[in-house]
């Protein structure tokens, strides 16, 4: 009654009335958390549960009430919806969820993600994200140590594909800074090199950046999926003869399908000789750097100019957690990406504006993805992360030995990482010769 | 003992030993949730709490124990760290947190974000994200209705800046599809037009896409910050005379500083006349479409070819929640962005592969950002979202009236949206004439 009496009415809105019932809102969040704990987190380890209650699109549309209406639904209905969403979604933390690149649950990174969702920050200047900027700086510094650089720079961003784009643009900026203002029109054809087994984001990046997919020269790989350095050398020379402008080699550390590692040291020699930027897409394989036993897979990575590394894959930091790391520490990232928006990045602040990262990014709002990795690292220690990597590779090794023992299974090649590629050959094909008919039937299967 | 006896030891790792204590992990998540409820969510509405316990970078580094070590920390220590992180972070849900573009807490979107963090999905194919792909489709369809298109397409992505890049690349692809393969080398200079008051992501996008910042022609705005259509016409003609290739106009619906809306209908006339793609950056202003009272601010938006709209701003869906919407429904988005990775996007699946969105995206892993908006919409209904918009604009109106009444405050201009720009004039300057000295002193303040 009191409120009605003193109501401030503007444009038909009572300004000093309650916006929403915050107690009811808090209760809703609590009940949703209870469902999450019971249905997702506690069942994460339960093999008797299904990975996913799979339904075809048309059926699932009928089950879920997707329509958004004029009036809102009751909390009871909404909580039921949350239950349904969980039931019909893939449980990526389930022991039987197998993805090429991630699986399982990490409790610490999950808690960290709950914190950042609740705080809902945006990471661009120190004044709005003091903790998360310092944490990002600390994590990047530590990742750089594992790469083996003495110093460097970096930025967390939404995905390995985006990291690769960042690197491609950075290499191009280093090659010819005027492109930032003038664009590519009128310039010779820029050419970059990567292996046949590289991630498809290389093509996406080349087309997005205006370089063109035809100017990605795919280098032949050996029988294990590794880039052949001699072929790279040939292609660089071919590009030069054509009058185009080679500027970048993208090596892969951990290819998507075979898990192959390109020979970085030999590739670095060629890059040095020809003055090319060396980017290593270690989105998948970078985590091996944490393991004393397996870091040799990336031998030579300290010679790279930039590295993409996704702790959300093998290290389980939660999607997305992806860093682009850069060896240059003279501000190249900022020079390349700055737009110097006066309303955000004033230079006369009362703290060192070098902490502001906004001008290193292609984004404006940016999520604090380094934080979940940091809390997990604090919780497990480097030793705990290392065990995670060693365990994944030991499991792959175990699977390989089992495949070799069992009839009807055929290993494609001895893996060097966690990717195990094999065929299942059904009884009807086991006696057949490996001719075209055999392969056609096997592919159909 | 039993486990030790049957231990499967590979490469020094006991494979069938427990990975971690899941009960302890669950307990940790529960305790972290308790801290989040008490320290973030319940204090969200408490004016007596601080927005941020601010510390200078050097001090904050000393307070937080940022170092990642070989050994992990105890749960007790980690929970204390979580407390500290919250204490020294900006509480964006605090009633006194004022940002240009967002503030406050929405309980439903928060619950939805907790669910997706726990499920940790990646959205690229129906088989790994059935629910989230259907939800995204439903949300995009609904947003398209509010824009006023009969059909369309779209994709959620990490930020308005990225949406603008998507649109710029899409317009370029439409203008000249060969650029995807051939790149920009050898082509005439591509030119795009946007207003002086546009978001700085336009420059970032132009440099990232290889177009070059000098090929962004900034169109003069009137005293309210709106693009002047006659100036646009002049600049398009100038570009044509120069022999360059105009392909795109980026209008802004809700500029960052003044909150100005470009006159879309007049701009659309010019685009039609010259065959230019019309993109509307409605990252900030798009939410007004939900309000019957205020949607006229975007009059003419149905004539746009693409629209960027961020429900994480005024609608409070949580950072990030950003859609790029496209009028074309003939698969342009897929044609422009596809890389057709064989290992992910097989065409012979047992469901309609048109549900797979991976080939519409520059990302590979992608977060289910549409889901939090969907759950919030279900909870509040369209009416509830509309009230949110009307309330924000009524509050801005109230502030304007208060500024006019008070000595020492000077309104910059009558706002049309939620941005209220004003000067505070200290007593020492109130009698001074508005000459260069006055403005210099005011700027210093």
């Amino acid at each position: 009654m009191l409120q009605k009496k003193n109501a401030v009415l503007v444009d038909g809105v009572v300004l000093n009335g309650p916006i929403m019932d915050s107690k009811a809102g808090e209760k809703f969040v609590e009940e949703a958390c209870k469902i999450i704990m019971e249905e997702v987190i506690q069942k994460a380890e339960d093999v008797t549960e299904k990975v996913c209650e799979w339904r075809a699109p048309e059926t699932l549309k009928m089950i879920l009430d997707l329509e958004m209406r004029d009036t809102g639904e009751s909390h009871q209905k909404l909580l039921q919806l949350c239950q349904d969403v969980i039931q019909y979604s893939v449980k990526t933390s389930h022991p039987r969820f197998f993805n090429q690149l991630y699986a399982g649950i990490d409790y610490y990174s999950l808690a960290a993600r709950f914190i950042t969702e609740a705080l809902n920050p945006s990471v661009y200047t120190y004044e709005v994200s003091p903790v998360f900027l310092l944490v990002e700086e600390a994590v990047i510094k530590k990742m750089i140590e594992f790469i083996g650089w003495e110093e460097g720079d970096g930025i967390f961003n939404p995905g390995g594909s985006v990291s690769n784009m960042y690197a491609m643009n950075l290499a191009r900026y280093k090659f010819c800074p005027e492109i930032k203002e003038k664009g590519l029109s009128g310039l010779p054809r820029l050419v970059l090199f990567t292996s046949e087994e590289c991630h498809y984001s290389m093509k996406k990046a080349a087309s997005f950046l205006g370089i063109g997919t035809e100017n990605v020269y795919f280098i032949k790989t050996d029988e294990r999926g590794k880039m052949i350095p001699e072929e790279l050398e040939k292609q660089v020379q071919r590009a030069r003869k054509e009058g185009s402008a080679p500027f970048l080699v993208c090596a892969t550390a951990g290819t998507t399908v075979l898990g192959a590692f390109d020979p970085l040291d030999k590739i670095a020699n060629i890059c040095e000789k020809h003055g090319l930027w060396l980017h290593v897409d270690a989105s998948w394989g970078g985590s091996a750097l944490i393991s004393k036993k397996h870091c040799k897979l990336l031998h030579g990575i300290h010679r790279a100019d930039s590295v993409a590394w996704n702790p959300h894959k093998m290290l389980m930091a939660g999607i997305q957690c992806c860093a682009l790391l850069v060896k240059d520490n003279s501000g190249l990232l900022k020079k390349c990406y700055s737009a110097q928006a006066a309303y955000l990045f004033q230079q006369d602040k009362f703290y060192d504006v070098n902490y502001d990262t906004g001008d290193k990014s292609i984004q404006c709002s940016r999520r604090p993805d380094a934080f979940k990795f940091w809390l997990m690292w604090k919780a497990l220690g480097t030793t705990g992360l290392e065990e995670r990597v060693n365990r994944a590779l030991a499991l792959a090794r175990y699977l390989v030995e089992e495949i070799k023992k069992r009839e009807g299974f055929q290993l494609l090649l001895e893996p060097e990482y966690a990717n195990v590629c094999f065929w299942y050959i059904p009884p009807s094909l086991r006696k057949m010769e490996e001719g075209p008919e055999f392969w056609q039937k096997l592919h159909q299967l």
Side-chain angles (χ1 to χ4, degrees), chain A:
Chain A
M1 281 304 283
L2 186 72
Q3 240 164 8
K4 268 197 181 164
K5 213 166 133 192
N6 300 317
V8 180
L9 194 79
V10 176
D11 281 353
V13 180
V14 182
L15 292 186
N16 52 350
I19 312 175
M20 62 180 129
D21 183 347
S22 60
K23 286 285 156 253
E26 285 164 24
K27 183 126 197 302
F28 180 78
V29 175
E30 263 172 20
E31 302 213 0
C33 283
K34 216 170 136 235
I35 294 175
I36 294 168
M37 283 307 296
E38 285 169 11
E39 299 299 319
V40 188
I41 301 175
Q42 283 163 14
K43 286 185 179 170
E45 303 269 312
D46 189 349
V47 188
T48 64
E49 293 286 327
K50 285 188 177 174
V51 176
C52 175
E53 190 86 35
W54 202 88
R55 294 287 184 279
E58 295 315 317
T59 319
L60 190 51
K61 274 185 199 174
M62 297 217 290
I63 296 173
L64 296 168
D65 173 27
L66 289 169
E67 180 72 18
M68 290 146 277
R69 304 190 180 81
D70 286 349
T71 350
E73 309 280 357
S74 70
H75 281 193
Q76 199 195 344
K77 174 83 194 288
L78 294 168
L79 291 168
Q80 183 54 50
L81 268 179
C82 292
Q83 293 262 18
D84 292 345
V85 163
I86 293 168
Q87 184 177 353
Y88 297 104
S89 286
V90 174
K91 263 63 95 189
T92 64
S93 50
H94 192 283
R96 299 257 162 91
F97 171 76
F98 299 113
N99 181 280
Q100 287 105 328
L101 306 173
Y102 81 109
I105 187 168
D106 175 82
Y107 299 100
Y108 308 104
S109 87
L110 184 58
R113 287 178 273 153
F114 286 168
I115 290 173
T116 47
E117 289 301 339
L119 287 170
N120 196 29
S122 179
V123 184
Y124 31 64
T125 64
Y126 183 80
E127 60 209 326
V128 299
S129 275
V131 173
F132 300 120
L133 274 181
L134 293 186
V135 162
E136 182 170 20
E137 187 189 66
V139 171
I140 285 174
K141 194 161 167 271
K142 197 83 179 168
M143 293 174 89
I144 282 172
E145 272 175 44
F146 278 90
I147 291 173
W149 294 334
E150 276 170 30
E151 46 176 28
D153 200 354
I155 190 145
F156 275 79
N157 66 71
S161 298
V162 177
S163 287
N164 289 336
M165 285 188 179
Y166 263 99
M168 205 176 278
N169 185 43
L170 206 57
R172 179 170 74 178
Y173 178 78
K174 177 86 179 179
F175 178 73
C176 175
E178 291 75 37
I179 292 174
K180 186 176 175 183
E181 288 89 30
K182 304 277 180 198
L184 293 167
S185 165
L187 284 183
R189 201 159 52 82
L190 294 186
V191 167
L192 66 107
F193 309 87
T194 187
S195 93
E196 295 170 336
E197 293 285 328
C198 77
H199 190 252
Y200 70 91
S201 56
M202 291 299 163
K203 274 171 85 172
K204 287 210 178 194
S207 92
F208 201 61
L209 269 61
I211 291 168
T213 53
E214 287 179 7
N215 298 315
V216 182
Y217 285 20
F218 293 99
I219 309 299
K220 280 196 193 128
T221 52
D222 65 17
E223 71 292 344
R224 307 199 58 186
K226 294 164 177 284
M227 188 193 286
I228 302 171
E230 295 72 23
E231 293 291 327
L232 173 62
E233 175 69 44
K234 268 191 230 166
Q235 291 295 321
V236 174
Q237 285 176 7
R238 177 194 137 200
R240 288 232 194 275
K241 265 184 214 150
E242 290 167 354
S244 63
F247 74 110
L248 165 68
V249 176
C250 293
T252 313
T255 61
T256 318
V257 178
L258 299 175
F261 286 74
D262 287 344
L264 300 181
D265 235 350
K266 287 181 181 169
I267 293 171
N269 290 342
I270 298 171
C271 289
E272 259 176 30
K273 180 178 155 194
H274 293 282
L276 304 174
W277 181 285
L278 174 56
H279 171 64
V280 179
D281 179 4
S283 295
W284 172 219
S287 298
L289 288 168
I290 301 280
S291 160
K292 286 185 282 292
K293 192 187 275 174
H294 299 292
C295 65
K296 60 180 182 294
L297 286 167
L298 297 109
H299 182 73
I301 195 164
H302 64 283
R303 297 175 66 190
D305 295 291
S306 58
V307 172
W309 175 1
N310 296 3
H312 77 221
K313 299 191 198 286
M314 191 177 281
L315 295 178
M316 303 163 71
I319 288 175
Q320 283 161 324
C321 186
C322 310
L324 173 75
L325 303 152
V326 184
K327 191 193 264 166
D328 175 279
N329 199 22
S330 73
L332 191 69
L333 205 50
K334 233 175 212 179
K335 277 180 253 168
C336 177
Y337 286 101
S338 66
Q340 289 152 347
Y343 79 96
L344 261 182
F345 309 116
Q346 301 91 348
Q347 295 302 300
D348 57 351
K349 290 179 183 173
F350 51 94
Y351 61 85
D352 179 358
V353 294
N354 280 319
Y355 284 104
D356 294 354
T357 55
D359 257 350
K360 292 182 186 178
S361 168
I362 58 167
Q363 301 179 276
C364 180
S365 300
R366 194 165 60 93
R367 297 170 52 88
D369 291 332
F371 176 64
K372 52 193 171 185
F373 186 32
W374 177 76
L375 193 67
M376 187 177 93
W377 203 328
K378 292 291 276 186
L380 301 174
T382 307
T383 317
L385 296 180
E386 186 175 14
E387 275 167 19
R388 210 163 258 189
V389 175
N390 290 347
R391 185 182 172 80
L393 293 200
L395 282 166
R397 179 50 43 200
Y398 175 75
L399 180 61
V400 166
E401 299 312 322
E402 289 297 309
I403 286 169
K404 286 180 185 169
K405 279 185 226 162
R406 294 201 194 182
E407 208 195 338
F409 285 88
Q410 193 177 313
L411 194 68
L412 211 73
L413 81 174
E414 283 288 337
E416 46 176 356
Y417 201 43
N419 313 47
V420 180
C421 301
F422 60 89
W423 293 102
Y424 167 68
I425 299 158
S428 63
L429 293 179
R430 282 181 202 167
K431 299 265 152 76
M432 199 186 277
E433 238 181 289
E434 286 191 21
E437 196 195 337
F438 171 87
W439 286 112
Q440 195 208 337
K441 287 202 169 159
L442 198 59
H443 270 283
Q444 271 173 355
L445 181 79

